[in-house]
Amino acid sequence: MRHATELALVPTPLLMPGTLPVGDLLVPEDGTKYELKLHHLHTGESIDVVYRIGDTYLPSAMAELNHFLRDHRTEDESHYDPKEFDLLHNVLARLGKTAGTIDVVCGYRTPWSNNFLRTRSADTGVAEHSQHMLAKAIDIRVPGVTTSRLRDAALSLAAGGVGYYPVSQFVHVDVGPVRQWSFGGGDGAPRMRHRRGVKA
């Protein structure tokens, strides 16, 4: 049964993929501006950036987000798929929190960091071929939103992979193949449960 304090998801229109020009000179001045507010739980950094105007992504904003989401263990950056930022926007829209802040648990991972996390114990919930290494995944929390509701908002989009981590209290969202899984929980079920795919 849904928790009494949880509200129904907002059936808002979804933001569709845009285009990424070579430079900011080709960015339109007019159009709807799409903004993301992120706080990184490991680096302590925060960012508030307009990443898209109308159907056009802003290259300078992409560079800022790539740096913000760098591997905090190695300081290496990658080039994020811009659709991942639309996914974050759509999740917030479904939650009715388009002006809200997203807490980032994990962004980009180098193969070294992914292997480090994956081999810390026998069962870590970290995939060998993680979408994090492709800069197509982010692990997130939204302050004031339960992990289960955040999962439901992400699943309602059917836009990629959704991993539910109730013990660690975060949700993995990526723009890879559509699939879902959960890791952990105290309901007596297996620690790793898959549907339509594998963990990432």
Side-chain angles (χ1 to χ4, degrees), residues 36 38 84-92 102 138 140 173:
L36 283 175
L38 308 176
E84 181 73 7
F85 306 130
D86 290 335
L87 176 57
L88 297 183
H89 170 86
N90 287 334
V91 167
L92 288 176
I102 292 175
I138 305 176
I140 63 173
V173 291

Side-chain angles (χ1 to χ4, degrees), residues 18-185:
T19 59
L20 181 62
V22 175
D24 281 342
L25 291 177
L26 300 177
V27 172
E29 296 182 1
D30 298 325
T32 303
K33 295 182 179 180
Y34 298 96
E35 180 182 11
L36 283 175
K37 299 176 182 178
L38 308 176
H39 174 70
H40 203 300
L41 296 177
H42 288 286
T43 66
E45 297 173 356
S46 296
I47 188 172
D48 183 346
V49 61
V50 173
Y51 75 95
R52 171 174 172 165
I53 298 177
D55 293 332
T56 305
Y57 301 115
L58 278 61
S60 58
M62 295 296 106
E64 289 184 60
L65 287 163
N66 287 331
H67 177 73
F68 177 83
L69 293 165
R70 67 193 181 277
D71 186 326
H72 67 274
R73 295 178 181 83
T74 68
E75 295 294 311
D76 288 301
E77 298 178 20
S78 188
H79 298 283
Y80 255 85
D81 187 329
K83 294 191 297 293
E84 181 73 7
F85 306 130
D86 290 335
L87 176 57
L88 297 183
H89 170 86
N90 287 334
V91 167
L92 288 176
R94 283 291 166 90
L95 292 170
K97 289 180 170 286
T98 53
T101 297
I102 292 175
D103 286 342
V104 173
V105 178
C106 183
Y108 170 65
R109 286 187 208 138
T110 60
W112 181 89
S113 280
N114 198 73
N115 186 65
F116 170 77
L117 292 172
R118 186 171 172 269
T119 57
R120 286 188 304 171
S121 64
D123 192 8
T124 62
V126 177
E128 181 178 3
H129 303 290
S130 173
Q131 294 286 323
H132 286 277
M133 295 191 296
L134 301 177
K136 291 187 175 185
I138 305 176
D139 298 336
I140 63 173
R141 298 171 182 160
V142 176
V145 176
T146 64
T147 311
S148 60
R149 185 165 182 247
L150 179 56
R151 171 204 59 196
D152 292 347
L155 287 174
S156 75
L157 304 175
V162 178
Y164 176 52
Y165 294 74
V167 175
S168 300
Q169 297 185 339
F170 69 81
V171 173
H172 166 110
V173 291
D174 69 52
V175 289
V178 175
R179 66 216 187 283
Q180 70 180 90
W181 66 94
S182 62
F183 182 82

